[in-house]
Amino acid sequence: MYQWRKFEFFEEKSAGKASIPSEIGGNVRCCSSGRGRIAVGCDDGMVGLLDRGFKLSYAFQAHAASVLFIQQLKQRNFLITVGEEEQTSPQLSPICLKVFDLDKMQPEGSSTTSPMCVQILRIFTNQFPEAKITSFLVLEEAPPILLITIGLDTGSIYCIKGDIARERITRFTLQVETVADKSLASITGLGLRVDGRALQLFVVTPASVSLFSLNDQPPKRHTLDQIGCDSNAVTMSDRLDLIVGRPEAVYFYEIDGRGPCWAFDGEKKFLGWFRGYLLCVIADQRSNRNMFNVYDLKNRLIAHSMVVGNVSHLLCEWGYIVLIMSDKKVLCIGEKDMESKLDMLFKKNLYTVAINLVQSQQADAAATAEVLRKYADHLYGKQDYDEAMSQYIHTIGHLEPSYVIQKFLDAQRIHNLTNYLEKLHERGFASKDHTTLLLNCYTKLKDVEKLNKFIKDEDGRGEHKFDVETAIRVCRAAGYHEHALYVARKAERHEWYLKLLLEDLGSYDEALLYISSLEPDQVGITVKEYGKILIEHRPAETVELLIRLCTDDWESTKKRMTNGMHLVMLPSPMDFVKIFVHNPKSLMEFLEKYISKVGDSAAQVEIHNTLLELYLSNDLSFPSISQEISIENRDPKMGRHKGMTNGSMTESRVKMNAENKDLKKEKDHLERQRKGLALLKNQWTSDMEQPSYDAFLAIILCQMNAFKDGLLFLYEKMKLYKEVIACYMQNHDHEGLIACCKKLGDSTQGGDPSLWVDVLNYFSELGEDCSKEVKEVLTYIERDDILPPIVVLQTLSKNPCLTLSVVKDYIARKLEQESKLIEDDRKSIEKYQEDTASMRKEIQDLRTNAKIFQLSKCTACTFTLDLPAVHFMCMHSFHLRCLGDNEKECPECAPEYRSILDTKRNLELNARDQNLFFQQLKNSKDGFSVIADYFGKGIVSKTSPGPPQNP
C-alpha cells in the first residue's frame, strides 16, 4: 500500500456543511440508499427519507421502538424495515418485519403523513427461535417475489421467500459450521450472487466464509475460508465477488474459493464498492485516526485519501459516496471529471497512469488516443523515438497521420516512419499519399524483402491494402518495374501493365501476348491506347492482332444469346485508324486484309475512302527504306561506315542508294495508283446505282493527287462529260480528246453532242495550228448538224493560226446544202401560193355566183334523189331521211373539217404552254426553225389587246 501513488481524484461536494436534518431526533441505527433518496432508521422507531440536498422529504413512525435494519427495493418503490415493537405478550417476540408501499400514503384524515404498511411479519416463531439479528439482506427475484435473509448471532440464517405483501411465503433456515466459541458463530455479513438462474449466498462469520447454493434442495454449504471478519467489513463488487476486510488485508472471494487479496493495513471499519473503486474506512492505530481511502485496484493507486471522524454508515447514491458520522454530520464525496484527473496526471508527467486510467474507466477511443498522443509527444521530446512511435501507432484511426509523419520525416528516423506507415496500411487508414511515402521509404532503404511483402500481401478478401495506382506509379519511378508489373497484373490494371511493358521495358512481344489474353472489349481499349507504339515496333504482329479482333476469328467475341444464336460484337476497323498515323503503309495492309476477309461491312464506305486516300497519295513514309540505307552504309566486319575510309566510294554509294530509293518509291506509287483505279472500278460496277465509297471525296482525292485515270472514270460514271473532256484539254491530249468525244458525243448512244461545241471552242482558243483536229471536229459537227456555219466561222476566227483552207470544204458543202434547201423552200412557197389563190377564187365564187346542184343520186344511199332532199355547198346531196338528225353538216366532209378544227384548237392551246415551247426549243438542233414554225402556224403572231389606256 505504501508503494501506491496517492491522487486526489475525488473531492468533497458538501464542504462539510451537510448533516442529518434536525427533524430526525433519534440516533441513526441503519441506512439504505436507492431510487434517488436515502432512508434512515432511528432508535426511536422513526424512518426519514432524505432528498439530494439532505433535506427531509417526510418522516413517519415505522416501529414503536428502534429500527434495526432498513432496505429500499430497486424494482418497486417498497421500503422494508426490521424493528422492535412493544411486547404485548411474553410468548411473542417484539421483533417484526414491515413492508411499506411508498407510492401509497395514509388517508388524508390520518394525523401523520406516512406510507401505507402493506404487510407486517413476525420474524421469530416457535419454529424459528428468537436470537439477535446481526445481518439483513433483501433480494428482488421476480416481482413480487422477494428473498429476505436474516443473519443471527447463533450462526443461523433465517430465509423468507415469496410474496411478502400477500404473505404467500416459505421459510427455511441455513446453518453455518458450528464452532465451540459462540462469539465466533455470529453472522457478520451476507452477500447474494445471481448468475443467470444460479442463486448463491455468501455468509461471513468471524471464523469462516461460506457459500450456500440456494438452487439445491436442501441448499448445500461450501466453506471458502476458515477465517472471517467483523461486522460492516463485508461488501460485494460489481463483478459479484465477495469482499472481506481484515486487519491485515482485503480479500476477494469467488464461488470456488478465495481470490486476490490486497495488503492494506489497519482495522477495516467499513467496506464499500463504487464504480470500480474499493472504499475503505480504516482505523489507523498509530495515529489513532480514521482514514477514508478510495483504491483503484486495477491501476494500483489511491484515488482519494482523507481523515474522517467516527463513521457510522457508508452509502453510495446520486453518483456520490456518502459518509454519515456518529454526530449526524454527512460527507458527500464525488469523483472529479476525467479531464481534471488527466490534467493532474499530465502536470506530473504520469502518462502511463493516465493511459491506464482512461482504459480502465472505458473512456471513448478519442479520449484514449488524445492521452496516447500526449504521452508520445512527451517521449518524442525526450528523444525516445522508438517508444514514441509505439504510442503514436496506438492512435491510428483517431489522430491525423500527418501530425505523426511530419515529426519523422528526417532521414535518421526513416525506420520509425516506415513502421508507422505499415501500420496505417494494415489498419486500412492509409491514403494514396501514405502509400507513396511508404514505397519511397522502402526504395530509399533498398529493403526489397519488405517491398515484396507489402506488394504481394493481401487482405482476407484477396484485395490489396493500398492504392494500386499509387503503388504502380511509385515503383515505376523508383525503377522497381517487376513490382509495378506484379501489382498491375494482379489488380487487372491493363493500361498500367502495358505502359510498363512498352514504355519502360520495351517488351513488345510480351505486350502483344498479354493483349491477346484479354477480353475483346479490353483488347480494343488497350490497342487504341498503345497501338501507336506497337505499330511502330511490331507492325505485322499488331496488324494480325487487329484482323483477329475485327473479324470473327476471335472466338471469345461470340456471346450466346438466350435463343441459341450467336451475337458477334465486332469493333469497326475505323476505330483503330488513328494508331497508324505514323505508319500509313501498315494501315493500308490492315484495311486490305480486312476487306479481303469481310466482304460486306457496315464501315465499308469509310474503309474504301481511307484506302483510296492511301492509294492515291503521292508520298508515303517508309521508315524501313531509311533503315536499309543505314545498314548498307555500315561495314559488318568493321562496325563503322565505309564512307569513313573511302570518300569517293561513299559518295557514289549514297547517290546509288538515292536513285534506288526514288525508283522504288515511284514503282510503289504506280502500284498504289493501279490498286486505287481497281478499287474505283470494282466498287462501282455497271449494275450498281451508287458506289461503295464517297464519289465526291474520290474526285477530290484524284484532283489533289493529279490522278487522271481515276478522274476520267469518275466523271464518266457520274455523266459529267464536260469535265471528262476538260481533263483532256488540260493535258493537251488532242487525240484522246477527239476519241473521247466520239464516245461520249454520239447522241445515238445517249451521248451529249454539245461536247463537239466545247471541243471546237477549245481549238479556236488554242492559239496554235490544229488544222487536222479542226477538220475532224467539223466532220462530226456537220454530220449531226450541231452548229450553223456562221457560228462555226465566228468561233474558228478566234484562232489566228487557222487558215480558210481548213473550213473551205466544210463551207462549200454547207452552202450547197443551203442552196438546195432554199430551192426546195422556193418551190414549196410557189405551191402554197397557187393553192391559196385557188382557195380564194373558190371562196369568191361561193360568195358571188349561184351554185347549181345536178346530182341525181343520194351520196349516202346512191338511190335516185327525190324530195325532200338536202344539198350542201360541197356539192354533196342527200335524202333528208339519210341525214337523220344532223342536217347541218355534210356527213362526208365533216370528219375532215372536224380534224382541221381540232388541230387549230391544239395549236392555240400549245401557244399558251410556255414549257412545251421552250422544251422544243432546247431539244431542237436549230432553235430558229422552231420559232419560225410557231410563226408560220400563226400561233405566236396572235396577240391579245392590252388594257385600254386613259387619254
Side-chain angles (χ1 to χ4, degrees):
M1 181 184 69
Y2 297 105
Q3 297 177 356
W4 286 17
R5 296 177 180 271
K6 289 185 179 182
F7 300 95
E8 291 301 322
F9 290 163
F10 289 78
E11 59 185 353
E12 187 178 351
K13 300 295 183 180
S14 59
K17 298 180 180 180
S19 62
I20 300 297
S22 59
E23 292 87 347
I24 299 178
N27 295 323
V28 177
R29 290 289 304 271
C30 55
C31 296
S32 177
S33 62
R35 304 184 71 87
R37 59 196 169 200
I38 293 177
V40 295
C42 303
D43 56 0
D44 58 358
M46 293 293 293
V47 171
L49 298 177
L50 308 181
D51 61 13
R52 190 184 185 99
F54 295 98
K55 304 296 183 181
L56 181 64
S57 296
Y58 62 89
F60 63 94
Q61 188 73 39
H63 294 273
S66 175
V67 180
L68 302 178
F69 296 95
I70 189 171
Q71 184 168 340
Q72 296 187 76
L73 302 185
K74 294 182 179 180
Q75 299 183 34
R76 291 185 294 171
N77 196 15
F78 280 13
L79 181 68
I80 299 178
T81 61
V82 175
E84 295 181 6
E85 299 291 339
E86 294 181 356
Q87 190 167 6
T88 58
S89 172
Q91 289 80 17
L92 296 176
S93 171
I95 308 299
C96 66
L97 181 145
K98 291 186 179 182
V99 180
F100 296 92
D101 187 348
L102 300 182
D103 291 332
K104 297 179 181 180
M105 306 303 290
Q106 293 287 349
E108 296 181 359
S110 59
S111 59
T112 59
T113 302
S114 62
M116 182 177 293
C117 179
V118 296
Q119 187 57 262
I120 301 176
L121 187 66
R122 296 288 179 179
I123 296 177
F124 301 111
T125 63
N126 294 331
Q127 296 179 352
F128 298 92
E130 183 177 357
K132 182 180 179 181
I133 300 176
T134 56
S135 298
F136 179 75
L137 185 61
V138 179
L139 172 67
E140 294 178 89
E141 289 190 358
I145 305 302
L146 300 179
L147 174 62
I148 301 175
T149 57
I150 303 171
L152 307 176
D153 62 351
T154 60
S156 298
I157 304 99
Y158 286 173
C159 298
I160 304 173
K161 185 175 182 179
D163 186 354
I164 307 296
R166 298 182 180 181
E167 203 171 349
R168 297 175 181 177
I169 59 175
T170 58
R171 297 173 182 249
F172 58 93
T173 304
L174 302 176
Q175 181 66 47
V176 299
E177 186 177 359
T178 58
V179 293
D181 189 354
K182 297 297 182 180
S183 62
L184 300 178
S186 175
I187 305 299
T188 56
L190 296 172
L192 283 167
R193 176 189 177 98
V194 180
D195 187 6
R197 294 185 178 182
L199 178 59
Q200 294 156 326
L201 175 65
F202 288 102
V203 179
V204 182
T205 66
S208 66
V209 177
S210 302
L211 177 68
F212 288 90
S213 179
L214 301 182
N215 296 102
D216 298 332
Q217 294 298 330
K220 295 181 180 180
R221 182 179 61 84
H222 175 59
T223 302
L224 302 178
D225 203 348
Q226 294 296 334
I227 186 172
C229 69
D230 296 331
S231 298
N232 297 324
V234 177
T235 190
M236 295 290 290
S237 71
D238 52 8
R239 296 179 57 187
L240 301 180
D241 293 335
L242 179 69
I243 306 174
V244 176
R246 299 175 187 153
E248 73 281 2
V250 174
Y251 297 88
F252 282 69
Y253 290 90
E254 299 176 358
I255 59 175
D256 53 354
R258 191 195 326 188
C261 68
W262 305 90
F264 304 140
D265 290 339
E267 180 185 355
K268 313 304 183 295
K269 289 191 172 184
F270 287 93
L271 285 184
W273 190 265
F274 175 75
R275 294 181 179 176
Y277 294 102
L278 176 63
L279 311 179
C280 290
V281 177
I282 302 176
D284 189 351
Q285 301 297 335
R286 291 173 293 182
S287 60
N288 199 20
R289 295 183 302 177
N290 292 330
M291 299 295 298
F292 174 65
N293 294 333
V294 180
Y295 297 101
D296 185 348
L297 303 179
K298 191 170 185 178
N299 297 315
R300 295 178 178 270
L301 56 86
I302 300 176
H304 183 66
S305 181
M306 63 180 297
V307 178
V308 295
N310 189 12
V311 179
S312 61
H313 300 282
L314 174 61
L315 311 163
C316 295
E317 186 62 29
W318 308 302
Y320 297 143
I321 303 168
V322 179
L323 299 177
I324 300 178
M325 305 300 173
S326 58
D327 57 359
K328 294 188 178 182
K329 289 185 177 181
V330 177
L331 287 178
C332 189
I333 300 172
E335 185 178 10
K336 296 180 179 178
D337 59 81
M338 180 62 72
E339 185 177 356
S340 300
K341 292 189 285 186
L342 292 178
D343 288 341
M344 186 187 307
L345 295 173
F346 292 155
K347 290 177 182 179
K348 298 179 180 180
N349 293 331
L350 299 175
Y351 294 98
T352 55
V353 177
I355 294 171
N356 293 332
L357 181 65
V358 295
Q359 291 177 347
S360 63
Q361 296 196 0
Q362 299 179 352
D364 62 334
T368 305
E370 179 64 18
V371 176
L372 291 169
R373 181 195 66 79
K374 291 185 177 182
Y375 184 34
D377 290 345
H378 173 70
L379 295 172
Y380 185 87
K382 294 170 62 177
Q383 298 184 355
D384 188 356
Y385 302 117
D386 293 341
E387 185 60 29
M389 178 52 73
S390 67
Q391 299 302 322
Y392 282 128
I393 288 174
H394 292 308
T395 65
I396 291 176
H398 303 282
L399 180 62
E400 177 61 37
S402 59
Y403 177 84
V404 181
I405 292 172
Q406 289 178 354
K407 291 178 175 290
F408 290 87
L409 285 178
D410 191 280
Q412 296 178 353
R413 295 189 281 277
I414 190 172
H415 292 281
N416 299 119
L417 179 59
T418 303
N419 186 24
Y420 181 76
L421 293 171
E422 288 174 346
K423 297 299 182 182
L424 271 181
H425 284 82
E426 287 179 6
R427 301 179 187 180
F429 292 101
S431 65
K432 296 180 180 180
D433 296 331
H434 299 147
T435 301
T436 302
L437 188 57
L438 178 58
L439 291 174
N440 284 328
C441 289
Y442 285 148
T443 56
K444 294 289 184 184
L445 294 172
K446 300 187 183 303
D447 194 341
V448 180
E449 182 179 353
K450 278 193 173 183
L451 182 60
N452 288 336
K453 182 179 179 182
F454 179 77
I455 291 296
K456 298 180 180 181
D457 190 21
E458 300 175 348
D459 60 13
R461 297 175 294 176
E463 298 178 357
H464 291 290
K465 301 177 181 178
F466 50 83
D467 183 74
V468 172
E469 187 172 344
T470 302
I472 296 173
R473 190 184 304 111
V474 174
C475 290
R476 182 190 184 196
Y480 289 88
H481 297 108
E482 181 183 352
H483 298 81
L485 283 172
Y486 176 84
V487 175
R489 183 151 196 166
K490 187 72 175 178
E492 296 183 354
R493 298 295 180 91
H494 310 305
E495 68 281 3
W496 275 106
Y497 191 82
L498 292 171
K499 188 187 290 288
L500 290 164
L501 287 177
L502 297 174
E503 297 180 5
D504 298 334
L505 302 177
S507 301
Y508 308 110
D509 295 330
E510 185 179 350
L512 284 169
L513 185 63
Y514 180 76
I515 293 175
S516 300
S517 66
L518 301 177
E519 289 297 320
D521 54 343
Q522 290 293 332
V523 174
I525 295 173
T526 52
V527 171
K528 288 177 185 177
E529 183 72 20
Y530 303 103
K532 292 180 182 178
I533 301 176
L534 293 171
I535 284 293
E536 181 180 356
H537 296 88
R538 296 292 185 274
E541 294 82 353
T542 307
V543 167
E544 184 62 29
L545 175 69
L546 287 175
I547 290 295
R548 290 175 53 221
L549 177 64
C550 295
T551 61
D552 54 4
D553 290 345
W554 204 294
E555 295 181 359
S556 61
T557 59
K558 295 182 178 180
K559 297 183 178 179
R560 184 170 297 276
M561 298 177 63
T562 55
N563 58 2
M565 299 179 62
H566 289 306
L567 177 63
V568 183
M569 304 174 63
L570 299 176
S572 171
M574 301 308 297
D575 296 340
F576 306 100
V577 169
K578 66 177 182 179
I579 71 174
F580 296 92
V581 64
H582 299 304
N583 202 327
K585 186 177 181 182
S586 297
L587 174 59
M588 187 169 62
E589 178 186 354
F590 167 53
L591 295 179
E592 287 175 346
K593 288 186 176 181
Y594 178 79
I595 61 176
S596 67
K597 280 201 167 191
V598 181
D600 188 11
S601 171
Q604 64 178 355
V605 174
E606 296 177 338
I607 295 172
H608 293 151
N609 291 340
T610 306
L611 275 175
L612 280 175
E613 186 175 357
L614 293 170
Y615 288 152
L616 303 182
S617 176
N618 289 326
D619 188 18
L620 283 178
S621 59
F622 295 97
S624 58
I625 297 177
S626 60
Q627 293 174 3
E628 291 173 4
I629 295 174
S630 176
I631 294 173
E632 290 174 358
N633 286 340
R634 285 181 176 270
D635 190 324
K637 294 182 179 180
M638 301 180 64
R640 57 179 179 171
H641 288 87
K642 294 180 179 180
M644 298 176 62
T645 59
N646 193 328
S648 60
M649 291 180 64
T650 302
E651 184 178 353
S652 62
R653 177 65 63 83
V654 171
K655 184 176 180 181
M656 182 178 65
N657 288 336
E659 293 175 354
N660 292 337
K661 178 182 178 182
D662 293 339
L663 183 62
K664 188 173 183 180
K665 186 175 180 180
E666 181 63 26
K667 182 180 178 181
D668 182 80
H669 185 208
L670 294 175
E671 177 63 21
R672 285 188 285 108
Q673 284 188 339
R674 183 191 65 78
K675 290 182 179 180
L677 184 59
L679 177 63
L680 290 173
K681 293 181 177 180
N682 294 336
Q683 300 303 324
W684 197 356
T685 58
S686 58
D687 58 344
M688 297 172 62
E689 288 188 13
Q690 295 294 331
S692 58
Y693 52 82
D694 189 337
F696 294 101
L697 176 62
I699 289 175
I700 293 173
L701 293 174
C702 292
Q703 289 176 341
M704 290 174 57
N705 297 282
F707 185 41
K708 176 184 173 183
D709 295 342
L711 274 176
L712 293 176
F713 171 77
L714 291 169
Y715 287 152
E716 184 176 345
K717 291 292 289 185
M718 299 174 73
K719 299 186 181 304
L720 302 174
Y721 299 142
K722 293 185 181 296
E723 281 74 8
V724 175
I725 64 174
C727 291
Y728 287 103
M729 293 176 183
Q730 187 177 0
N731 295 325
H732 300 285
D733 185 0
H734 299 166
E735 183 178 353
L737 176 61
I738 294 175
C740 178
C741 282
K742 289 179 182 179
K743 178 182 177 182
L744 303 179
D746 190 356
S747 60
T748 60
Q749 301 295 329
D752 184 6
S754 64
L755 296 178
W756 292 109
V757 178
D758 296 333
V759 174
L760 187 66
N761 287 327
Y762 166 72
F763 285 124
S764 69
E765 297 173 357
L766 191 59
E768 61 182 39
D769 188 8
C770 51
S771 302
K772 179 182 177 182
E773 290 82 359
V774 171
K775 288 181 180 180
E776 189 172 0
V777 171
L778 290 176
T779 302
Y780 290 99
I781 292 177
E782 182 183 1
R783 184 192 71 180
D784 296 334
D785 196 16
I786 298 172
L787 287 176
I790 187 63
V791 177
V792 173
L793 291 176
Q794 288 175 349
T795 302
L796 293 178
S797 65
K798 298 177 184 178
N799 191 342
C801 299
L802 296 176
T803 62
L804 187 59
S805 60
V806 176
V807 296
K808 179 180 177 181
D809 296 338
Y810 167 75
I811 293 298
R813 289 191 300 272
K814 294 300 289 184
L815 287 175
E816 184 180 353
Q817 291 177 4
E818 291 294 333
S819 298
K820 185 177 180 182
L821 290 174
I822 291 172
E823 182 63 23
D824 292 340
D825 290 341
R826 186 184 62 78
K827 292 180 180 180
S828 298
I829 290 171
E830 289 178 355
K831 181 178 180 298
Y832 289 149
Q833 286 177 347
E834 291 176 357
D835 293 342
T836 302
S838 176
M839 290 179 182
R840 285 177 177 174
K841 183 179 178 182
E842 185 178 356
I843 293 171
Q844 185 65 26
D845 287 342
L846 291 173
R847 287 179 177 177
T848 58
N849 299 325
K851 198 74 172 175
I852 299 173
F853 301 98
Q854 297 180 349
L855 289 177
S856 60
K857 292 184 178 182
C858 176
T859 305
C861 64
T862 67
F863 289 103
T864 302
L865 188 66
D866 55 3
L867 297 176
V870 178
H871 303 279
F872 291 97
M873 298 298 291
C874 60
M875 303 307 293
H876 292 140
S877 299
F878 300 89
H879 292 113
L880 182 60
R881 63 179 179 274
C882 293
L883 291 178
D885 296 334
N886 188 8
E887 58 183 31
K888 293 184 179 181
E889 59 181 2
C890 175
E892 293 290 329
C893 299
E896 182 180 359
Y897 178 66
R898 196 176 292 115
S899 65
I900 294 173
L901 291 178
D902 290 341
T903 303
K904 183 179 180 182
R905 192 180 302 110
N906 290 335
L907 290 174
E908 290 176 354
L909 291 175
N910 292 339
R912 299 188 187 98
D913 190 354
Q914 299 180 4
N915 293 332
L916 178 62
F917 169 74
F918 287 111
Q919 184 67 29
Q920 292 178 355
L921 189 64
K922 181 178 179 181
N923 295 334
S924 176
K925 297 179 181 178
D926 187 4
F928 181 78
S929 63
V930 176
I931 298 174
D933 184 56
Y934 266 73
F935 274 102
K937 292 177 180 179
I939 298 175
V940 179
S941 60
K942 291 185 178 181
T943 57
S944 60
Q949 296 181 354
N950 296 326

